[in-house]
Coordinates of all heavy atoms in Angstrom, one line a residue:
M92 N -174.2 -52.0 20.1 CA -173.5 -50.8 20.0 C -174.1 -50.0 18.8 O -174.5 -50.6 17.8 CB -172.0 -51.1 19.7 CG -171.3 -51.8 20.9 SD -169.6 -52.2 20.4 CE -168.9 -52.7 22.0
D93 N -174.1 -48.7 19.0 CA -174.8 -47.9 17.9 C -174.0 -48.0 16.6 O -174.6 -47.7 15.5 CB -174.9 -46.4 18.4 CG -176.1 -46.2 19.3 OD1 -177.0 -47.0 19.2 OD2 -176.1 -45.2 20.0
S94 N -172.7 -48.2 16.6 CA -171.9 -48.3 15.4 C -172.1 -49.7 14.7 O -171.7 -49.8 13.6 CB -170.4 -48.2 15.7 OG -170.0 -49.1 16.7
V95 N -172.8 -50.6 15.4 CA -172.9 -52.0 14.8 C -174.4 -52.3 14.5 O -174.7 -52.8 13.4 CB -172.4 -53.0 15.9 CG1 -172.6 -54.4 15.4 CG2 -171.0 -52.7 16.2
M96 N -175.3 -52.0 15.4 CA -176.7 -52.4 15.3 C -177.7 -51.2 15.2 O -177.8 -50.5 16.2 CB -177.1 -53.4 16.4 CG -176.5 -54.8 16.3 SD -177.3 -55.7 14.9 CE -175.8 -56.4 14.2
S97 N -178.3 -51.1 14.1 CA -179.6 -50.2 14.0 C -180.7 -51.2 13.9 O -180.5 -52.4 13.6 CB -179.5 -49.3 12.8 OG -179.5 -50.1 11.6
P98 N -182.0 -50.8 13.9 CA -183.1 -51.7 13.7 C -182.9 -52.4 12.3 O -183.2 -53.6 12.1 CB -184.3 -50.8 13.8 CG -183.9 -49.7 14.7 CD -182.5 -49.5 14.5
E99 N -182.5 -51.6 11.3 CA -182.4 -52.1 9.9 C -181.3 -53.1 9.8 O -181.4 -54.2 9.2 CB -182.2 -51.0 8.9 CG -183.4 -50.1 8.7 CD -183.5 -49.1 9.8 OE1 -182.6 -48.9 10.6 OE2 -184.6 -48.4 9.8
T100 N -180.1 -52.8 10.5 CA -179.0 -53.8 10.5 C -179.3 -55.0 11.2 O -179.0 -56.1 10.9 CB -177.8 -53.1 11.1 OG1 -177.6 -51.8 10.5 CG2 -176.5 -53.9 10.8
A101 N -180.1 -54.8 12.3 CA -180.5 -56.0 13.1 C -181.4 -56.9 12.3 O -181.2 -58.2 12.4 CB -181.3 -55.5 14.4
I102 N -182.3 -56.4 11.5 CA -183.1 -57.2 10.7 C -182.3 -58.0 9.7 O -182.4 -59.2 9.5 CB -184.2 -56.4 10.0 CG1 -185.2 -55.9 11.1 CG2 -184.9 -57.2 8.9 CD1 -186.1 -54.8 10.6
A103 N -181.4 -57.3 9.0 CA -180.5 -57.9 8.0 C -179.6 -59.0 8.6 O -179.5 -60.1 8.1 CB -179.6 -56.9 7.3
F104 N -179.1 -58.7 9.8 CA -178.2 -59.7 10.5 C -179.0 -60.9 10.9 O -178.6 -62.0 10.8 CB -177.6 -59.0 11.7 CG -176.7 -59.8 12.5 CD1 -175.4 -60.1 12.0 CD2 -177.0 -60.3 13.8 CE1 -174.5 -60.9 12.8 CE2 -176.1 -61.0 14.5 CZ -174.9 -61.4 14.0
G105 N -180.2 -60.7 11.4 CA -181.1 -61.8 11.8 C -181.4 -62.7 10.6 O -181.5 -63.9 10.8
R106 N -181.7 -62.1 9.5 CA -182.0 -62.9 8.3 C -180.8 -63.7 7.8 O -181.0 -64.8 7.1 CB -182.5 -62.0 7.2 CG -183.9 -61.4 7.5 CD -184.4 -60.4 6.4 NE -185.8 -60.0 6.7 CZ -186.3 -58.9 6.2 NH1 -185.6 -58.1 5.5 NH2 -187.6 -58.6 6.5
L107 N -179.6 -63.3 8.2 CA -178.4 -64.1 7.8 C -178.2 -65.3 8.8 O -177.3 -66.1 8.5 CB -177.2 -63.2 7.8 CG -177.2 -62.2 6.6 CD1 -176.0 -61.2 6.8 CD2 -177.0 -62.9 5.3
G108 N -178.9 -65.3 9.9 CA -178.8 -66.4 10.8 C -178.2 -66.1 12.2 O -178.1 -67.0 13.0
G109 N -177.9 -64.8 12.5 CA -177.3 -64.5 13.7 C -178.4 -63.9 14.7 O -179.6 -63.8 14.3
L110 N -178.0 -63.6 15.9 CA -178.8 -63.0 16.9 C -178.4 -61.5 17.1 O -177.4 -61.2 17.7 CB -178.7 -63.7 18.3 CG -179.3 -63.0 19.5 CD1 -180.8 -62.8 19.3 CD2 -179.0 -63.8 20.8
P111 N -179.2 -60.6 16.6 CA -178.9 -59.2 16.8 C -179.4 -58.7 18.1 O -180.5 -59.1 18.6 CB -179.7 -58.5 15.6 CG -180.9 -59.4 15.4 CD -180.5 -60.8 15.8
V112 N -178.6 -57.8 18.8 CA -179.0 -57.2 20.0 C -178.9 -55.7 19.9 O -177.9 -55.1 19.5 CB -178.1 -57.6 21.2 CG1 -178.6 -57.0 22.5 CG2 -178.1 -59.2 21.3
L113 N -180.0 -55.0 20.1 CA -180.1 -53.6 20.0 C -179.7 -52.9 21.4 O -180.2 -53.3 22.4 CB -181.5 -53.1 19.6 CG -181.6 -51.7 19.1 CD1 -180.8 -51.4 17.8 CD2 -183.1 -51.3 18.9
D114 N -178.9 -51.9 21.3 CA -178.6 -51.1 22.5 C -179.8 -50.2 22.8 O -180.1 -49.2 22.1 CB -177.3 -50.2 22.2 CG -176.9 -49.4 23.5 OD1 -177.5 -49.6 24.5 OD2 -176.0 -48.6 23.3
L115 N -180.4 -50.5 23.9 CA -181.6 -49.8 24.3 C -181.3 -48.5 25.1 O -182.2 -47.8 25.6 CB -182.6 -50.7 25.1 CG -183.0 -51.9 24.4 CD1 -184.0 -52.8 25.2 CD2 -183.7 -51.6 23.1
E116 N -180.0 -48.2 25.2 CA -179.6 -46.9 25.8 C -178.8 -46.1 24.7 O -178.2 -45.1 25.1 CB -178.7 -47.2 27.0 CG -179.4 -47.9 28.1 CD -178.4 -48.3 29.2 OE1 -177.5 -47.4 29.6 OE2 -178.5 -49.4 29.8
G117 N -179.0 -46.5 23.5 CA -178.3 -45.8 22.4 C -179.1 -44.7 21.7 O -180.2 -44.3 22.2
L118 N -178.6 -44.3 20.6 CA -179.2 -43.2 19.9 C -180.6 -43.5 19.4 O -181.5 -42.7 19.3 CB -178.4 -42.7 18.7 CG -177.0 -42.2 19.1 CD1 -176.2 -41.8 17.8 CD2 -177.1 -41.0 20.0
W119 N -180.9 -44.8 19.1 CA -182.2 -45.2 18.6 C -183.3 -45.1 19.6 O -184.5 -45.1 19.2 CB -182.0 -46.6 18.0 CG -181.1 -46.7 16.9 CD1 -179.8 -47.1 16.9 CD2 -181.3 -46.3 15.5 NE1 -179.2 -46.9 15.7 CE2 -180.1 -46.5 14.8 CE3 -182.4 -45.8 14.8 CZ2 -180.0 -46.2 13.5 CZ3 -182.3 -45.6 13.5 CH2 -181.1 -45.7 12.8
T120 N -182.9 -45.1 20.9 CA -184.0 -44.9 21.9 C -184.0 -43.5 22.5 O -184.7 -43.2 23.4 CB -183.9 -45.9 23.0 OG1 -182.6 -45.8 23.6 CG2 -184.0 -47.3 22.4
R121 N -183.1 -42.6 22.0 CA -183.0 -41.2 22.5 C -183.6 -40.2 21.5 O -184.0 -39.2 21.8 CB -181.6 -40.9 22.8 CG -181.0 -41.7 24.0 CD -179.5 -41.4 24.2 NE -178.8 -42.4 25.0 CZ -178.6 -42.2 26.3 NH1 -179.0 -41.1 26.9 NH2 -178.0 -43.1 27.0
Y122 N -183.5 -40.6 20.2 CA -183.9 -39.7 19.1 C -184.8 -40.4 18.1 O -184.6 -41.6 17.8 CB -182.6 -39.2 18.3 CG -181.7 -38.4 19.2 CD1 -180.6 -39.0 19.8 CD2 -181.8 -37.0 19.3 CE1 -179.7 -38.2 20.6 CE2 -181.0 -36.2 20.1 CZ -179.9 -36.9 20.8 OH -179.0 -36.1 21.5
E123 N -185.8 -39.7 17.6 CA -186.7 -40.2 16.6 C -185.9 -40.6 15.3 O -186.2 -41.6 14.7 CB -187.8 -39.2 16.3 CG -188.9 -39.7 15.5 CD -189.8 -40.7 16.2 OE1 -190.1 -40.4 17.4 OE2 -190.2 -41.7 15.6
D124 N -185.0 -39.7 14.9 CA -184.2 -40.0 13.7 C -182.7 -39.7 14.0 O -182.3 -38.5 13.9 CB -184.7 -39.1 12.5 CG -183.8 -39.3 11.3 OD1 -183.1 -40.3 11.2 OD2 -183.9 -38.5 10.4
P125 N -182.0 -40.7 14.4 CA -180.6 -40.5 14.8 C -179.6 -40.4 13.6 O -178.4 -40.2 13.8 CB -180.3 -41.7 15.7 CG -181.2 -42.7 15.2 CD -182.4 -42.1 14.7
A126 N -180.1 -40.6 12.4 CA -179.2 -40.7 11.2 C -178.3 -39.5 11.1 O -177.1 -39.6 10.9 CB -180.0 -40.9 10.0
P127 N -178.8 -38.2 11.3 CA -177.9 -37.1 11.2 C -176.8 -37.1 12.3 O -175.7 -36.6 12.0 CB -178.9 -35.9 11.3 CG -180.2 -36.4 10.9 CD -180.2 -37.8 11.4
L128 N -177.2 -37.6 13.4 CA -176.2 -37.6 14.5 C -175.1 -38.7 14.3 O -174.0 -38.5 14.6 CB -176.9 -37.9 15.8 CG -177.8 -36.7 16.3 CD1 -178.7 -37.2 17.4 CD2 -177.0 -35.5 16.7
L129 N -175.5 -39.8 13.7 CA -174.6 -40.8 13.3 C -173.6 -40.3 12.3 O -172.4 -40.6 12.4 CB -175.3 -42.1 12.8 CG -176.0 -42.9 13.9 CD1 -177.0 -43.8 13.3 CD2 -175.0 -43.6 14.8
A130 N -174.1 -39.5 11.3 CA -173.3 -38.9 10.3 C -172.3 -37.9 10.9 O -171.1 -37.8 10.6 CB -174.1 -38.3 9.2
E131 N -172.8 -37.2 11.9 CA -172.0 -36.2 12.6 C -170.8 -36.9 13.4 O -169.7 -36.4 13.3 CB -172.8 -35.3 13.5 CG -172.0 -34.3 14.3 CD -172.8 -33.5 15.3 OE1 -174.0 -33.6 15.3 OE2 -172.2 -32.7 16.1
I132 N -171.2 -37.9 14.1 CA -170.1 -38.6 14.9 C -169.0 -39.2 13.9 O -167.9 -39.1 14.3 CB -170.8 -39.8 15.7 CG1 -171.7 -39.2 16.8 CG2 -169.7 -40.7 16.3 CD1 -172.5 -40.2 17.5
A133 N -169.4 -39.7 12.8 CA -168.5 -40.2 11.8 C -167.6 -39.1 11.3 O -166.4 -39.4 10.9 CB -169.2 -40.9 10.7
A134 N -168.0 -37.9 11.3 CA -167.3 -36.8 10.7 C -166.5 -36.0 11.7 O -165.7 -35.1 11.4 CB -168.2 -35.8 10.0
L135 N -166.6 -36.3 13.0 CA -165.9 -35.6 14.1 C -164.4 -35.8 14.0 O -163.9 -36.9 13.7 CB -166.4 -36.0 15.4 CG -167.8 -35.6 15.8 CD1 -168.3 -36.3 17.1 CD2 -167.9 -34.1 16.0
G136 N -163.7 -34.8 14.3 CA -162.2 -34.9 14.5 C -161.9 -35.6 15.8 O -162.6 -35.6 16.7
P137 N -160.7 -36.2 15.8 CA -160.3 -37.0 17.1 C -160.3 -36.1 18.3 O -160.7 -36.6 19.4 CB -158.9 -37.5 16.7 CG -158.8 -37.4 15.2 CD -159.7 -36.3 14.8
E138 N -160.0 -34.8 18.2 CA -159.9 -34.0 19.4 C -161.2 -33.6 20.0 O -161.3 -33.3 21.2 CB -159.1 -32.7 19.0 CG -159.8 -31.7 18.1 CD -159.9 -32.2 16.6 OE1 -159.1 -33.1 16.3 OE2 -160.7 -31.7 15.9

């Protein structure tokens, strides 16, 4: 899920001993730099 796993988070999670799975239909495979869009999603109002 995009809210859970980015490539960087996946690497950190793997180093702690878990198995990270990246969503290959998420923002990381649609945009070169999805960071601004992730920030926008977090700032959106519920409506």
Side-chain angles (χ1 to χ4, degrees):
M92 297 176 168
D93 280 340
S94 57
V95 178
M96 285 288 134
S97 66
E99 292 78 11
T100 312
I102 292 168
F104 182 71
R106 287 174 176 162
L107 289 171
L110 168 60
V112 182
L113 193 66
D114 181 8
L115 301 181
E116 299 174 39
L118 297 179
W119 297 96
T120 60
R121 297 175 192 262
Y122 297 92
E123 190 71 43
D124 180 15
L128 294 168
L129 289 164
E131 180 185 350
I132 290 172
L135 290 170
E138 68 288 343

